[in-house]
Amino acid sequence: MDFAIMLSVLDATLRLSTPLLLACLAGLYSERAGVFDIGLEGKMLFAAFGAAAVAAVTGSMWLGLLAGISVSVTTALLQGVAAISLKGNQLIAGVAINMLAAGLTTFLGQTWFHQGGRTPPLGEGGRFPQITLPFADELAGVPIIGPIYAELISGHYILVYIAFLAVPITAFVLYRTRFGLRLRAVGENPKAVDTAGISVVALRYQAVLITGVLCGFAGAYFSIAQGSGFGNNMTAGKGFIALAALIFAKWKPVPAMFTCLLFGFLDALQIRLQNFELPVIGVVPVQAIQALPYVLTVVLLAGFIGKAVGPKAGGVPYTKER
Amino acid sequence: DPAVIYDLGGKFDKSFNEAAYNGAEAWKAETGGNYLDLELQNDAQREQALRRFAGQGANPIVMAGFSWAAALDAVAPEFPDTNFVVIDTVVEQPNVQSIMFDEHTGSFLVGALAAMQSGSGKVGFIGGMDVPLIHRFYCGYAYGARAVNPEIGLTENYTGTTPAAWNDPVTAGELAKAQIDSGVDVIFAAAGGSGMGVLQAAKDAGKYSIGVDSNQNHLQPGSVLTSMLKRVDTAVHTAFLEAGDDATFKPGRIDLGLADGGVDYAVDDNNAALITDEMKAKVEELKAGVIAGTVEVHDYYTDNACPL
Amino acid sequence: MNPQRPETAAASPPPSGWAIELEKINKRFGAVHANKDIDLAVQRGTIHGIVGENGAGKSTLMSILYGFYTADSGVIRVNGVEHAITDSRHALALGIGMVHQHFMLVDNFSVLENIVLGAEDSGFLAPSLARGRTELKRLAAEYNLDVDPDALIEDISVGQQQRVEILKALYRGAETLILDEPTGVLTPKEADDLFRVLRTLREQGKTVILITHKLREIMAITDSVSVMRQGQMVATVKTAETSPEALAELMVGRHVLLRVEKGPSNPGKTMLEVQNLVVADDMGIVRVKNVSFSVRAGEIVGIAGVSGNGQSELLESISGMRDQRRGDVLLSGNPLSLKGDDGAARARTAGLAHVPEDRLRMGLVTSFQEWENAILGYQNSPDYGAGPFLDIGAAKRKAAEHIETFDVRPADINLKTALFSGGNQQKIVLAREMDRNPDVLVVGQPTRGVDIGAIEFIHNQIIKMRDAGKAILLVSVELDEIRSLADRILVMFDGEIVGEADPATATEGELGLMMAGIGKDHAAAPASKNGQEISS
Amino acid sequence: MSASRPLPRWADIVLLPAINLFMAFLVSGLVVLMIGENPLEAITVIIYGAFGYGDGFGYTLYYATNFIFTGLAVAVAAHAGLFNIGGDGQAYVAGLGAIVVALALDQTHWLIAMPLAVLAAGAVGGFWAFVPGWLQAKRGSHVVITTIMFNFIAAALMVYMVNRVLKPATTMAPESETIDIGGRVPQLRQFFSFFGYSPVNLSIVIAVLALIGVYILVWHTKFGYAMRVLGKNPTASRYAGISNSRMIMITMTISGALAGMVAINEVMGVQNRLVLDYVAGAGFVGIAVALMGRNHPVGIALAALLFGALYQGGQELQFVIPAVTREMIVVIQALVILFTGAMEGLFRPALERSFMLFTPEQKAEAIAVSSAKTEG
Ligand SMILES: Nc1ncnc2c1ncn2[C@@H]1O[C@H](COP(=O)(O)OP(=O)(O)OP(=O)(O)O)[C@@H](O)[C@H]1O
Ligand SMILES: Nc1ncnc2c1ncn2[C@@H]1O[C@H](COP(=O)(O)OP(=O)(O)OP(=O)(O)O)[C@@H](O)[C@H]1O
Ligand SMILES: [Mg+2]
Ligand SMILES: [Mg+2]
């Protein structure tokens, strides 16, 4: 593989891992607080739709982003009511949210825009542009570093930078703030938090809200950055992959980033390996290459990661006796 | 009343099913008549839907998609008085008309245009689901490109292997970007709804794309070089007009190709500037050759292979 | 001292009087009337004991005082002022701290993080942690409460964890400290340390409420004591004016024998033999280092030691739950294979019964009905159905039999096991394990958290087994229990058997030194001051 | 608050779900109203379409058959504390077992082909779940992730198998050869003309047997007992001499084999060939079915019937009210899951309070509590 192709693969890696990373960090907040979330997919889908719909109508990507986040947060709240206040089964809540999103986005899209659930294509201003970082053009000529800066680091949607910035921020919040301390505690031993005089319910709602915000970014990325407009079920199972990445990363922010980068890389590679010819076997069936990221995940998981033990109180609604 | 049943992609797939829908709408606008339609949710509903419509007295019943063979084979004999029209597959029953399109010849023409437009000498193809039908598109495209430039570089990709591949613009867009990064500058997207991602990526990179099924030139004006038309809309329209009456209904297999405009390449205001007179002349020459049988285009269906 | 404490706290309490007054407290859980018209007054600067059977309502009452439960009715006064305590934060603000029976700590947090949790100064952690560190140093010096602030909770001993709980309360400015069964999980040494801390607290003017099942602790440390029975307060007396026997009778409503009565042992042939056993824990750390001993029919061998010195791994290995690194376990002379993860089944087939240390974690499935737990471990026995099928009728009959012979209350085989009290849960396990007439009985911590009535019963059952000619291995951190039950005592320290003692002659001090790893070869040191302090 | 008592059993398992279902339909009604259609008519159509006539009821049963299998697959694993998200993939690959046997034996008789195909489909589906089970047991890989991954791998594998191996050169659609009559599972309509043309077939008998079998397995066998111990307390199961690793592997295999039965219903009962993606998400519906059915066969049967009815009633709705799209059906299904599954507690407190006023002694207690509260 020559240098240019490598850059192209890594460039695609960043693009493809961004929504995974945002969703993965989103999941990290609620799962660290003890709320399992298999509804990441649904929240992203809602956000993607909300963002594209508003961006299409107003022509503003920022209003679109805001709408995406609001829709996702509202969904997160609904899920929170079911899983936290009503002490419902967290997994069912997630399944319901996913289905609701799959149906409602297309239904509303069709009712409002009459394009089979799609939103109208976005014009200039409605979609995030790729940002050229300062000096990218000037440095492009410098060997090695130039192309790396100009092509790999520069020239992404702002949401890509936000996603990667969210990693140190999350790490900081989690390990260096009062909120983070309490968040981690409530996922491990909610009773300890309760007896320390902190409201378990309030904490979990806060966590779920942050999850909503991050899913909002992730969803918006699909429809108004990477894509231009909403398409049916456009998140295509990324929420589940993000969840796998979260477990893979053992619920830690920096490993989460590397896991998402790995998944993104495999995806990028998969795309470029479709006609790859192996010395002896000949052309590898495209299906084998498409299955590669998943097979590799399983192999890595079995070989290197070992047991992943999540937050102890995860999945269990907290019941306070009165 | 006539009826149309869309395949699993749904009626607004911006492509194949939507073309069928447009045909039905055109008929409606023209005649003022009413028609029935239905979107499937799963495979098990095929027979149910056919019986339902036939039982209600719908005639003709038009189906879009290559997955109808088994269901239609079972139901058609139950309703000998109903006429069925199926697109993209062949069912041999006395009351069934099977419409096939010569996707390979239409693709041949856009392949030639692609090769002529390409400055890099590399053209790409992005298919939707990895199935023989799409291989047929590719093979025609490849032959067309080779016909004008035997040295042309060809890259072939598919968005996926499940029906979800028809609706995955993200992966399709990434594939397009990957092709562009490797030097490809014209990409033919035969990928249903996924094609949107290809068109977008080509536009973002300042390269060219080729649409499919319907005329997609307007979607990214100036970037969509042309579209490979597969006139499913006309087929549905014609079926609605003719197949309801036994006098005009023609059972058996009908192949629509370049000669009758069943497949073609699209030129309109959006791409008029891109297609030079020279290109146009060459492609028309090839078209005439194919119709006359002097230019041979390999049909993937004949041997399930694409020997280049 | 603590900026988190609002003004309502007793910043300058009146020099004398009641720290806590409870009046006519009532609390129901569904049909259970857990607290009935409870009155309780605790003098400031004293240690006040509360005793009562399992389920008498002690924990409930304290949870109400701490704001964890809300009373259905009743009045709470703190320093003479009436308060409606709504939640724990409120109780903390009033200067009430509580150390729960089950620690409220986050296992994978450091000590410092646990202490700071909920009492942070600001949004960022660094200043809180810094202040926590200095404050911790001060408290440690003032109250003799040393812990490593950076150690993880899961890595420190139970005794240390308890210190963390106490420090947590003090850090929040607690004036009144409630301790719910604090010594249930402690070694004698740790218990001594705890009591020293409690005395220091009292000297500093703090008030302590202590719930315990151990009457000698009441006698040794409290100033006054209240007795609860079936949700009611039956008496409050000055400790100096009562005796363990009197308290026991008040608690249970009948006379309780506080001593174990047993005859001399009559050892037969060797039933259980452990040879050069080496066992590692889940993390791969070697916890049992080359241990050898044997137990003969008709004798009780006690293993004494501070918890965490390899006893758990030893027990698990002998009972087939944990693979050995080296060495052998022989049952009636036959080596027990521990390969695979179903060694426990082979151990049972070979005639071994196992009462685990931790009934909730291991010995019971708490969400099962009682009868389902009555066959746990014996589910494959033909008694409970032929072939692959489970004969529920047979299992239920067996469960009813257990309940009858072991006087489990309530006598309901269909009740969810979680709803039985600790003592009764323990009886369920014991009944199951003793019922099969095993050749070897391995028992860990048989009376942890169990009230004195039940202790008496359990001890008698163990003696009965011995007298029936069974080989019994008893592992306990309760020196008293070991001394009164065992015929031979082995002391375990740091994964090794460091000495053997005769219960008839060994003093608590000698054993204590061996348990601390001092005098490895022979216990000859004189009784320590600590040892004597609490022996009644 | 504290004195609220648990609901009587019948209220818990009948009344509360009924209220929740009603809520789900109420909200769905609003969605129907949004597109200007009459919600009452819509619900009538759904109920009529699902139960009102032979064909419709047959379709309901046909869908329910799939959901029973996938629901049981999730439930069996759940009893052992395992969350099998891979029912979809397991059902999918099981099609290979079914098609190979069916095609090989389609010149014999279904009495021969069907039992063997059941075994083959069970074996392949079971294997597809065994591997994640094995990885969990031996390598500690989280079964949730591995089963998700195996869904994707199954999809890729099946496309390859269908397109490159099973597809006869003469067909265009990606599908296997058609099974001859001897390899097909008989349709119920061959015995009861009541079912019209609906595809419900003898697979439903397997589904009923599976329900009974799972009930016996979980609650009346020693294996089931061990499974439940493992699910509730893995330490206790090790204490009880149960081999956790073996239990995980066997349970996952059983779970996968149950999911694999979908292949019998679809491949041999309905499609008579192997088509791409024939599982159509039934594996995921199975999760909802198991959760709603509280992992109990009776609950699963009812939940599967409910979802079958929604699928078929929804289809009917599309026929009768063309404005209703398939997405609305998905929305209604989601609302049902939301209200009866995730938010089932919504009305519990209110219901408990109203129940307390029914019997005199409870009434007294309720009054005592509320007055106590005002005192405090
Ligand atoms: N969460 C609860 N729900 C219902 N009933 C409860 C609950 N907690 C306690 N009870 C009831 O309250 C009574 C008192 O329980 P409590 O825990 O206060 O007893 P205790 O005196 O602390 O017993 P122990 O000595 O075993 O700790 C019990 O008999 C029980 O019936
Ligand atoms: N949630 C509950 N609902 C109803 N009754 C309960 C509940 N929890 C406990 N009980 C009842 O409480 C009584 C004592 O329970 P409790 O919880 O005090 O014991 P425990 O604290 O486990 O005992 P120990 O402190 O010795 O371990 C038992 O009779 C039991 O049936
Ligand atoms: Mg208690
Ligand atoms: Mg208790």
Side-chain angles (χ1 to χ4, degrees):
Chain A
M1 231 187 260
D2 65 18
F3 185 59
I5 300 219
M6 223 163 72
L7 273 188
S8 147
V9 171
L10 292 180
D11 197 36
T13 301
L14 289 187
R15 278 197 303 271
L16 290 170
S17 48
T18 294
L20 287 181
L21 181 56
L22 286 166
C24 190
L25 292 177
L28 188 145
Y29 280 95
S30 45
E31 301 223 341
R32 272 294 182 130
V35 182
F36 279 170
D37 191 358
I38 58 174
L40 293 174
E41 179 85 5
K43 288 194 283 286
M44 284 198 291
L45 200 58
F46 266 128
F49 175 72
V54 169
V57 171
T58 63
S60 158
M61 57 194 176
W62 295 110
L63 286 180
L65 178 64
L66 199 69
I69 293 174
S70 326
V71 173
S72 171
V73 164
T74 312
T75 315
L77 275 182
L78 176 67
Q79 202 182 346
V81 168
I84 302 169
S85 298
L86 296 177
K87 301 178 177 44
N89 184 313
Q90 297 174 359
L91 296 175
I92 312 191
V95 169
I97 292 293
N98 287 343
M99 272 184 89
L100 200 60
L104 209 55
T105 50
T106 305
F107 169 70
L108 291 177
Q110 172 58 16
T111 312
W112 292 341
F113 301 107
H114 306 286
Q115 298 191 10
R118 264 187 304 276
T119 58
L122 300 171
E124 294 288 312
R127 177 166 173 242
F128 283 99
Q130 296 174 336
I131 300 174
T132 308
L133 294 181
F135 311 115
D137 295 332
E138 290 83 340
L139 282 172
V142 182
I144 311 287
I145 302 187
I148 288 183
Y149 181 74
E151 284 172 39
L152 184 57
I153 298 179
S154 169
H156 290 284
Y157 312 105
I158 189 166
L159 296 179
V160 175
Y161 301 108
I162 291 179
F164 284 88
L165 210 60
V167 176
I169 294 177
T170 299
F172 183 84
V173 167
L174 211 54
Y175 299 114
R176 299 253 188 274
T177 67
R178 170 173 64 193
F179 173 70
L181 184 76
R182 294 177 174 189
L183 190 80
R184 285 182 289 135
V186 81
E188 290 290 330
N189 188 349
K191 220 164 171 182
V193 171
D194 197 0
T195 50
I198 310 162
S199 162
V200 172
V201 168
L203 258 178
R204 289 195 164 167
Y205 268 108
Q206 287 164 21
V208 162
L209 280 183
I210 298 177
T211 302
V213 171
L214 286 170
C215 280
F217 277 105
Y221 181 81
F222 280 106
S223 63
I224 64 173
Q226 192 180 23
S228 71
F230 177 82
N232 303 344
N233 196 26
M234 74 184 308
T235 48
K238 292 283 187 297
F240 288 101
I241 302 290
L243 209 57
L246 183 60
I247 302 176
F248 205 107
K250 302 193 170 170
W251 293 267
K252 295 192 178 97
V254 175
M257 180 182 77
F258 285 115
T259 309
C260 291
L261 280 172
L262 173 72
F263 284 10
F265 175 74
L266 289 175
D267 212 6
L269 202 62
Q270 176 261 113
I271 280 165
R272 284 158 180 84
L273 279 184
Q274 277 200 1
N275 300 303
F276 199 64
E277 213 160 325
L278 282 182
V280 186
I281 308 165
V283 174
V284 184
V286 63
Q287 289 82 14
I289 293 180
Q290 278 166 342
L292 186 69
Y294 310 115
V295 174
L296 213 62
T297 305
V298 171
V299 171
L300 283 179
L301 208 57
F304 301 106
I305 308 296
K307 237 189 185 95
V309 180
K312 277 202 209 73
V316 191
Y318 181 65
T319 310
K320 182 172 174 152
E321 305 277 353
R322 278 273 131 187
Chain B
D1 291 355
V4 56
I5 312 177
Y6 310 104
D7 213 326
L8 291 170
K11 97 167 128 181
F12 297 103
D13 64 352
K14 272 271 182 287
S15 180
F16 180 76
N17 288 297
E18 191 158 332
Y21 166 72
N22 290 334
E25 285 293 305
W27 173 85
K28 183 175 175 178
E30 189 181 305
T31 64
N34 245 329
Y35 70 93
L36 304 166
D37 71 345
L38 184 78
E39 293 176 88
L40 289 185
Q41 275 167 304
N42 58 58
D43 275 311
Q45 291 171 341
R46 293 185 195 277
E47 290 188 25
Q48 185 185 18
L50 286 176
R51 286 203 182 87
R52 203 49 208 241
F53 277 148
Q56 282 178 13
N59 195 19
I61 299 174
V62 181
M63 284 137 279
F66 56 68
S67 305
W68 281 100
L72 187 56
D73 219 18
V75 177
E78 293 166 18
F79 298 94
D81 295 335
T82 306
N83 296 333
F84 298 91
V85 178
V86 62
I87 299 171
D88 265 7
T89 190
V90 179
V91 171
E92 282 165 17
Q93 295 281 355
N95 54 339
V96 174
Q97 181 186 67
S98 309
I99 298 177
M100 298 293 287
F101 288 90
D102 292 344
E103 287 94 0
H104 54 299
T105 58
S107 300
F108 180 83
L109 299 187
V110 300
L113 283 170
M116 286 185 274
Q117 179 72 18
S118 172
S120 65
K122 287 183 183 172
V123 297
F125 174 87
I126 293 176
M129 191 171 162
D130 190 356
V131 290
L133 174 66
I134 302 303
H135 297 166
R136 197 183 195 208
F137 276 88
Y138 169 70
C139 202
Y141 178 73
Y143 269 78
R146 285 280 156 94
V148 295
N149 178 2
E151 301 300 308
I152 196 90
L154 284 159
T155 314
E156 171 195 16
N157 287 123
Y158 296 88
T159 45
T161 47
T162 65
W166 301 122
N167 202 1
D168 187 356
V170 171
T171 303
E174 276 304 323
L175 284 167
K177 282 178 190 147
Q179 291 193 354
I180 290 167
D181 285 343
S182 71
V184 167
D185 58 357
V186 186
I187 305 173
F188 179 23
S194 302
M196 298 297 114
V198 178
L199 271 48
Q200 181 76 53
K203 157 91 190 209
D204 287 351
K207 309 292 183 199
Y208 301 99
S209 58
I210 297 172
V212 78
D213 292 349
S214 309
N215 184 346
Q216 299 185 321
N217 294 358
H218 65 282
L219 290 175
Q220 301 288 354
S223 169
V224 180
L225 178 64
T226 181
S227 298
M228 198 293 267
L229 300 176
K230 176 174 169 184
R231 301 306 300 262
V232 175
D233 50 347
T234 324
V236 172
H237 184 219
T238 314
F240 271 21
L241 285 176
E242 296 177 357
D245 189 344
D246 284 341
T248 47
F249 177 64
K250 294 186 281 293
R253 172 169 174 161
I254 293 180
D255 281 277
L256 298 178
L258 289 178
D260 40 32
V263 293
D264 208 343
Y265 68 101
V267 180
D268 61 12
D269 290 349
N270 293 304
N271 70 338
L274 295 172
I275 311 273
T276 61
D277 291 341
E278 190 189 337
M279 286 161 76
K280 183 145 188 165
K282 176 72 183 164
V283 77
E284 284 299 332
E285 177 198 326
L286 288 170
K287 182 174 172 181
V290 172
I291 293 173
T294 54
V295 173
E296 187 161 351
V297 182
H298 183 75
D299 181 357
Y300 181 86
Y301 282 163
T302 56
D303 59 355
N304 277 315
C306 188
L308 276 171
Chain C
M1 181 172 60
N2 187 334
Q4 289 285 300
R5 263 179 72 204
E7 296 312 308
T8 44
S12 53
S16 74
W18 303 115
I20 303 291
E21 293 161 275
L22 301 177
E23 239 178 73
K24 296 231 172 307
I25 297 287
N26 274 288
K27 178 70 181 173
R28 284 168 183 276
F29 292 109
V32 180
H33 205 156
N35 283 170
K36 287 179 219 163
D37 289 334
I38 303 265
D39 292 333
L40 173 71
V42 179
Q43 190 83 38
R44 181 169 317 103
T46 64
I47 300 180
H48 189 102
I50 298 183
V51 293
E53 286 185 285
N54 290 123
K58 308 178 291 289
S59 300
T60 304
L61 187 66
M62 291 303 113
S63 295
I64 289 170
L65 179 55
Y66 187 59
F68 207 58
Y69 293 163
T70 315
D72 298 337
S73 67
V75 174
I76 302 175
R77 273 192 289 273
V78 181
N79 292 320
V81 184
E82 188 175 328
H83 291 281
I85 300 180
T86 49
D87 57 21
S88 306
R89 176 172 286 265
H90 190 180
L92 284 167
L94 293 171
I96 300 169
M98 179 157 174
V99 177
H100 292 262
Q101 201 173 337
H102 305 287
F103 297 151
M104 301 291 175
L105 296 172
V106 183
D107 285 347
N108 56 0
F109 275 23
S110 72
V111 167
L112 192 56
E113 285 176 319
N114 266 291
I115 285 178
V116 166
L117 179 67
E120 306 89 342
D121 302 313
S122 65
F124 295 116
L125 266 188
S128 309
L129 290 177
R131 189 175 70 83
R133 202 176 284 277
T134 34
E135 186 72 356
L136 209 55
K137 215 174 262 165
R138 190 185 65 74
L139 289 171
E142 191 170 339
Y143 298 103
N144 243 327
L145 280 164
D146 256 337
V147 279
D148 172 8
D150 298 311
L152 292 186
I153 296 296
E154 57 199 6
D155 295 338
I156 62 178
S157 70
V158 187
Q160 298 257 314
Q161 293 180 4
Q162 189 170 58
R163 290 184 171 194
V164 178
E165 283 282 21
I166 296 172
L167 283 166
K168 248 170 79 177
L170 294 176
Y171 185 76
R172 287 159 175 74
E175 290 298 317
T176 300
L177 190 64
I178 306 164
L179 295 132
D180 193 350
E181 290 185 41
T183 58
V185 290
L186 299 188
T187 62
K189 163 84 168 58
E190 287 173 326
D192 286 350
D193 290 346
L194 171 67
F195 289 145
R196 222 181 2 254
V197 169
L198 296 186
R199 289 203 186 90
T200 317
L201 286 170
R202 177 170 60 187
E203 277 158 24
Q204 310 271 349
K206 313 251 172 195
T207 311
V208 176
I209 302 177
L210 175 71
I211 300 179
T212 179
H213 287 297
K214 297 174 191 166
L215 295 179
R216 60 171 207 154
E217 292 175 352
I218 293 285
M219 301 310 294
I221 193 171
T222 62
D223 300 300
S224 50
V225 52
S226 298
V227 183
M228 288 182 72
R229 190 163 81 214
Q230 290 167 14
Q232 282 170 307
M233 191 60 84
V234 292
T236 297
V237 291
K238 288 250 173 299
T239 309
E241 295 161 9
T242 187
S243 67
E245 289 76 15
L247 286 175
E249 199 160 339
L250 277 171
M251 276 168 66
V252 194
R254 66 180 163 89
H255 183 67
V256 182
L257 213 52
L258 293 176
R259 263 175 310 108
V260 180
E261 302 228 303
K262 65 166 198 196
S265 71
N266 209 343
K269 68 176 172 72
T270 300
M271 300 303 294
L272 169 68
E273 194 168 354
V274 173
Q275 294 172 341
N276 308 320
L277 195 64
V278 178
V279 187
D281 66 7
D282 290 337
M283 317 296 289
I285 301 164
V286 174
R287 305 308 290 260
V288 177
K289 303 168 182 166
N290 207 27
V291 163
S292 304
F293 63 88
S294 60
V295 185
R296 296 196 287 168
E299 73 167 347
I300 301 178
V301 172
I303 294 195
V306 178
S307 70
N309 274 287
Q311 300 99 314
S312 306
E313 288 76 15
L314 177 66
L315 266 182
E316 289 182 12
S317 194
I318 291 175
S319 60
M321 294 176 66
R322 187 177 283 282
D323 202 350
Q324 74 268 53
R325 279 278 173 87
R326 243 180 311 122
D328 264 318
V329 175
L330 302 169
L331 288 172
S332 310
N334 304 316
L336 171 67
S337 160
L338 299 178
K339 289 277 161 275
D341 53 359
D342 56 352
R346 287 190 293 277
R348 280 201 179 79
T349 319
L352 178 139
H354 175 201
V355 177
E357 286 182 304
D358 187 336
R359 53 185 170 256
L360 294 180
R361 206 171 65 85
M362 235 181 251
L364 294 167
V365 179
T366 50
S367 55
F368 273 13
Q369 294 178 342
E370 196 277 338
W371 71 264
E372 291 175 288
N373 273 309
I375 63 169
L376 186 73
Y378 303 97
Q379 65 276 0
N380 285 329
S381 152
D383 299 359
Y384 303 126
F389 294 101
L390 188 66
D391 183 346
I392 293 177
K396 286 191 167 176
R397 280 192 296 280
K398 183 56 85 180
E401 206 178 286
H402 289 171
I403 282 188
E404 166 88 33
T405 46
F406 277 74
D407 187 28
V408 176
R409 276 179 273 184
D412 181 355
I413 57 168
N414 295 320
L415 192 66
K416 220 171 92 173
T417 316
L419 300 186
F420 287 88
S421 73
N424 283 301
Q425 288 172 342
Q426 189 69 5
K427 285 183 184 176
I428 293 171
V429 176
L430 276 168
R432 180 182 72 211
E433 298 303 322
M434 291 181 166
D435 175 74
R436 311 284 303 190
N437 202 24
D439 296 332
V440 178
L441 181 67
V442 176
V443 192
Q445 322 295 353
T447 56
R448 183 175 274 177
V450 170
D451 74 41
I452 50 169
I455 291 178
E456 179 193 30
F457 177 84
I458 291 169
H459 283 176
N460 285 335
Q461 292 299 321
I462 294 177
I463 298 288
K464 233 165 78 187
M465 287 282 287
R466 181 201 72 165
D467 291 345
K470 308 300 174 193
I472 295 174
L473 180 69
L474 169 73
V475 175
S476 175
V477 294
E478 301 284 342
L479 262 190
D480 276 354
E481 181 165 84
I482 295 255
R483 288 197 330 158
S484 54
L485 284 179
D487 301 311
R488 279 195 294 140
I489 301 178
L490 303 174
V491 181
M492 203 164 169
F493 174 76
D494 194 24
E496 295 177 67
I497 302 284
V498 293
E500 177 164 349
D502 178 354
T505 57
T507 65
E508 190 159 324
E510 286 166 10
L511 289 171
L513 280 178
M514 282 201 274
M515 284 163 65
I518 304 164
K520 233 179 169 179
D521 296 315
H522 202 264
S528 78
K529 238 176 74 204
N530 304 345
Q532 283 170 340
E533 257 180 320
I534 54 162
S535 47
S536 45
Chain D
M1 214 201 292
S2 59
S4 64
R5 300 189 140 201
L7 290 174
R9 223 176 124 71
W10 71 270
D12 201 18
I13 58 180
V14 180
L15 186 58
L16 199 59
I19 294 177
N20 289 328
L21 201 58
F22 179 75
M23 264 312 286
F25 282 125
L26 207 66
V27 178
S28 307
L30 295 179
V31 178
V32 176
L33 262 182
M34 256 186 67
I35 56 160
E37 298 287 339
N38 180 351
L40 273 183
E41 189 196 340
I43 186 87
T44 321
V45 170
I46 290 184
I47 293 173
Y48 173 76
F51 300 106
Y53 64 102
D55 258 299
F57 186 53
Y59 266 95
T60 300
L61 289 181
Y62 145 71
Y63 289 120
T65 307
N66 281 343
F67 301 152
I68 287 173
F69 289 134
T70 53
L72 284 177
V74 175
V76 165
H79 278 296
L82 300 160
F83 189 25
N84 179 10
I85 308 194
D88 228 59
Q90 290 143 20
Y92 199 5
V93 293
L96 289 178
I99 195 72
V100 166
V101 171
L103 286 177
L105 299 178
D106 63 357
Q107 300 308 320
T108 60
H109 191 267
W110 66 268
L111 277 173
I112 299 170
M114 186 172 163
L116 288 175
V118 165
L119 290 180
V124 180
F127 172 76
W128 208 248
F130 164 80
V131 179
W134 178 76
L135 288 169
Q136 160 106 60
K138 301 289 183 190
R139 307 290 319 173
S141 319
H142 210 297
V143 79
V144 170
I145 315 186
T146 40
T147 50
I148 291 178
M149 296 297 144
F150 267 62
N151 282 339
F152 291 110
I153 300 173
L157 172 74
M158 291 303 282
V159 174
Y160 179 81
M161 291 305 289
V162 171
N163 276 321
R164 308 280 152 100
V165 181
L166 293 169
K167 192 180 82 66
T170 49
T171 11
M172 271 166 238
E175 55 191 43
S176 74
E177 221 170 292
T178 301
I179 305 166
D180 244 338
I181 191 74
R184 297 183 188 176
V185 172
Q187 306 288 307
L188 284 198
R189 60 175 184 251
Q190 290 169 239
F191 310 103
F192 309 99
S193 58
F194 167 76
F195 287 114
Y197 279 111
S198 65
V200 58
N201 57 74
L202 277 189
S203 302
I204 198 169
V205 176
I206 305 183
V208 172
L209 290 179
L211 286 168
I212 298 169
V214 167
Y215 172 74
I216 292 174
L217 178 78
V218 173
W219 283 282
H220 288 274
T221 68
K222 295 168 176 175
F223 181 85
Y225 176 87
M227 211 164 88
R228 288 186 295 126
V229 174
L230 171 64
K232 290 284 176 13
N233 185 344
T235 317
S237 73
R238 214 153 46 85
Y239 163 80
I242 295 162
S243 171
N244 290 3
S245 55
R246 200 181 314 146
M247 287 303 299
I248 290 173
M249 291 186 283
I250 299 177
T251 305
M252 281 303 284
T253 307
I254 295 175
S255 170
L258 283 166
M261 292 304 106
V262 170
I264 303 298
N265 189 31
E266 289 289 341
V267 175
M268 294 174 72
V270 184
Q271 320 272 4
N272 297 325
R273 62 204 201 286
L274 188 67
V275 300
L276 280 183
D277 206 35
Y278 69 83
V279 182
F284 292 100
V285 178
I287 297 174
V289 165
L291 289 168
M292 276 181 66
R294 313 267 156 95
N295 295 327
H296 192 284
V298 174
I300 287 171
L302 291 174
L305 204 60
L306 173 66
F307 275 90
L310 282 174
Y311 264 57
Q312 163 54 18
Q315 180 70 18
E316 182 86 10
L317 204 54
Q318 274 191 38
F319 281 120
V320 178
I321 309 180
V324 171
T325 60
R326 57 181 182 178
E327 283 75 28
M328 283 186 63
I329 312 300
V330 177
V331 171
I332 294 175
Q333 285 162 2
L335 289 171
V336 169
I337 297 181
L338 189 67
F339 281 104
T340 61
M343 314 228 296
E344 54 143 9
L346 191 55
F347 297 99
R348 187 180 291 276
L351 209 58
E352 277 171 356
R353 243 174 286 128
S354 46
F355 262 92
M356 269 169 56
L357 299 172
F358 278 153
T359 68
E361 97 186 71
Q362 284 168 330
K363 189 171 174 175
E365 189 178 298
I367 291 165
V369 168
S370 52
S371 57
K373 250 197 226 130
T374 41
E375 274 171 45

